[in-house]
Amino acid sequence: MLPVGIDKISFYTSNYYLDLRTLACAQGTDPEKYYVGIGQEKMGMPAHDEDVVTMAASAAYPLFEDEQSKHISTLLFATESGIDQSKSAGIYVHRLLGLNQNCRVVELKQACYSATAAVQMACALVARQPETSVLVIASDVAKYELDSPGEATQGCGAVAMLIKANPRILEIDAEVGNHTEDVMDFWRPNYLKTAIVDGKYSTKIYLQSLKKAWLNFTQASDLGFADLSHFCYHLPFSRMAQKAHKHLSRVNKSNLEPAQIEAQIADSLFYNKLIGNSYAAALFIGFISLLEKGSSDLGGKKIGFFSYGSGCVAEFFSGTVVAGYQQYLFKEQHQSMLESRQALDYEQYIVLYNTPDPQRGESVTIAEDSTGKFRLAGIANHKREYVAR
Ligand code: CAA
């Protein structure tokens, strides 16, 4: 069977961020709690005219500059901060990108895990029809109550991946390890704008699920801990990945030095520290960070991935980085996007946090505030109007 996996991968985040030093100062908290304790520096905040649709379309747009979209058989849209209970956010993206009308579109949800489900389903579809491609997009806005422990772990971002046969970035292995368990560590009832989270419990369940998914993975795969050169974890905040990787190395009785353990994940953390949690997108933005921020050539290396979605579903899977992957990255675009973002002061952050959400069908025109290729221009009669720049 032909290898299947990620052929191209790109991410997008909004043009605004709040430095966690600014948040700490407003709260009277020691900034080191955020910079060191949870390992986060900044968090992305969506502009008034930005949401999961505009971020998703902006993430996917670069993938199609030299691509024939007619080969896209399916668009899988993963999110837990969707904008409609019925219509898939992916349909707006399908139009904005000009995808062909024979392409099916569906939205998937299982907290931060759903993008991994989408990638695995996409691989299965492409394995059946190797001449086709599947577009997987994950896009989320992480929002918690003001003055709650989760507030410093907010963020926003989208990742877009083209899944193809003979991919140029990552060949994904068929063997996976899963763990599913009905737990209430983090959830958001339909009537709430912010997530409810039992923070300490959620970190405990994350680590327990890692061990269980890993043990299931080792039953399915011939690979062991020592065969994997680098690891990417779901990133609610970067310290979580550091704790997780130490935990996994203990589970495997690895005799690596602490610095070697840290080196296996360090490059995957850079972008998340600057963006914050992007829920379903976070694991794969971490993978982009590993590819783009690392100084060594990862061609031919085996990577381990741990995906975690509260509630909970966890998956451990693996893949091989394809030699020559560097020439297909969007490294300069990503770095210039991050460098050109604008810092918010605390009052501006509160205004964005409280962005009006018209719910009575009133007509609202939204002023230009974002800088991406696509924006939310207005809402009228309960319909959202998206436009390209
Ligand atoms: N200098 C340095 N470090 C400091 C410090 C200071 N001044 N003050 C505190 N710290 C350290 C603490 O010692 C602690 O370190 P350890 O974890 O190593 O003990 C760390 O900073 C955090 O401090 P607290 O434990 O006191 O923080 P908290 O309770 O206020 O919040 C949290 C932590 C519960 C994780 C909170 O951020 C939260 O609720 N986050 C949202 C939920 C979440 O992200 N869960 C992750 C697993 S679930 C998941 O992954 C799905 C998802 O995306 C949400």
Side-chain angles (χ1 to χ4, degrees):
M1 200 167 36
L2 290 173
V4 176
I6 301 172
D7 187 64
K8 283 188 189 171
I9 183 166
S10 157
F11 82 93
Y12 175 84
T13 187
S14 88
N15 48 308
Y16 291 125
Y17 71 86
L18 182 71
D19 194 306
L20 293 183
R21 289 191 197 286
T22 308
L23 180 66
C25 179
Q27 294 173 329
T29 303
D30 180 355
E32 295 302 291
K33 172 172 177 181
Y34 299 147
Y35 269 64
V36 178
I38 61 168
Q40 290 297 111
E41 298 174 13
K42 296 170 179 164
M43 59 189 201
M45 283 296 293
H48 289 291
D49 57 345
E50 193 94 89
D51 67 10
V52 291
V53 170
T54 60
M55 290 195 301
S58 295
Y61 184 72
L63 305 187
F64 292 98
E65 278 170 344
D66 61 350
E67 193 77 33
Q68 291 188 330
S69 74
K70 66 176 189 254
H71 296 298
I72 308 290
S73 71
T74 304
L75 191 174
L76 299 175
F77 194 109
T79 186
E80 59 178 302
S81 43
I83 43 124
D84 194 289
Q85 292 284 16
S86 297
K87 178 168 173 166
S88 167
I91 298 181
Y92 301 101
V93 176
H94 176 276
R95 174 177 61 80
L96 292 169
L97 296 177
L99 300 186
N100 77 80
Q101 291 196 320
N102 301 119
C103 166
R104 66 163 81 83
V105 178
V106 70
E107 186 170 308
L108 292 91
K109 177 178 68 186
Q110 176 21 60
C112 309
Y113 166 70
S114 59
T116 297
V119 164
Q120 297 293 3
M121 290 172 188
C123 288
L125 287 170
V126 172
R128 266 175 68 150
Q129 290 182 300
E131 71 286 3
T132 63
S133 318
V134 175
L135 173 60
V136 172
I137 305 180
S139 183
D140 265 315
V141 177
K143 191 165 183 176
Y144 294 91
E145 285 283 320
L146 295 175
D147 296 323
S148 71
E151 184 181 7
T153 66
Q154 297 176 118
C156 65
V159 66
M161 296 171 265
L162 264 189
I163 305 297
K164 280 190 172 187
N166 296 316
R168 291 172 285 182
I169 302 278
L170 183 78
E171 294 177 3
I172 297 179
D173 298 328
E175 299 76 18
V176 302
N178 285 111
H179 175 72
T180 295
E181 192 177 347
D182 184 1
V183 288
M184 296 303 280
D185 60 330
F186 167 108
W187 68 104
R188 184 166 66 84
N190 286 341
Y191 48 84
L192 288 186
K193 291 276 170 219
T194 51
I196 302 173
V197 59
D198 187 343
K200 293 270 161 45
Y201 179 60
S202 71
T203 60
K204 185 174 150 195
I205 296 289
Y206 180 117
L207 295 179
Q208 286 179 0
S209 303
L210 167 62
K211 182 175 176 184
K212 289 172 183 168
W214 168 259
L215 293 178
N216 187 233
F217 174 78
T218 55
Q219 286 166 7
S221 170
D222 293 335
L223 297 173
F225 187 76
D227 298 314
L228 300 164
S229 79
H230 292 76
F231 293 75
C232 294
Y233 288 85
H234 167 55
L235 292 168
F237 50 92
S238 68
R239 266 302 293 288
M240 188 72 238
Q242 290 168 321
K243 286 183 185 196
H245 195 48
K246 275 189 201 148
H247 185 63
L248 192 64
S249 77
R250 273 196 303 271
V251 166
N252 285 287
K253 300 184 173 58
S254 152
N255 51 17
L256 293 177
E257 295 295 322
Q260 292 172 300
I261 304 271
E262 176 64 20
Q264 292 183 313
I265 58 164
D267 292 332
S268 71
L269 308 180
F270 284 104
Y271 288 158
N272 177 270
K273 284 178 191 229
L274 305 177
I275 294 170
N277 196 352
S278 54
Y279 289 161
L283 169 66
F284 295 98
I285 294 179
F287 177 50
I288 299 176
S289 181
L290 170 67
L291 297 176
E292 297 184 352
K293 299 299 281 184
S295 50
S296 61
D297 181 358
L298 296 175
K301 301 277 191 210
K302 277 277 179 207
I303 313 294
F305 295 84
F306 177 63
S307 179
Y308 176 75
S310 288
C312 71
V313 176
E315 180 161 322
F316 199 98
F317 65 101
S318 58
T320 309
V321 179
V322 180
Y325 66 95
Q326 295 92 334
Q327 55 188 304
Y328 304 108
L329 299 174
F330 296 93
K331 183 173 167 176
E332 285 74 29
Q333 292 94 315
H334 292 151
Q335 291 181 358
S336 82
M337 173 179 67
L338 290 172
E339 280 159 18
S340 57
R341 293 186 305 166
Q342 190 184 324
L344 298 165
D345 62 29
Y346 185 74
E347 288 68 31
Q348 291 169 321
Y349 156 66
I350 293 296
V351 170
L352 276 183
Y353 181 94
N354 291 317
T355 292
D357 178 24
Q359 296 186 355
R360 293 195 180 81
E362 61 269 47
S363 291
V364 179
T365 301
I366 304 175
E368 291 207 22
D369 194 23
S370 59
T371 54
K373 170 82 183 151
F374 304 97
R375 58 181 294 270
L376 175 64
I379 306 174
N381 299 321
H382 301 285
K383 296 176 191 166
R384 297 169 85 84
E385 193 199 331
Y386 295 101
V387 294
R389 285 197 168 88

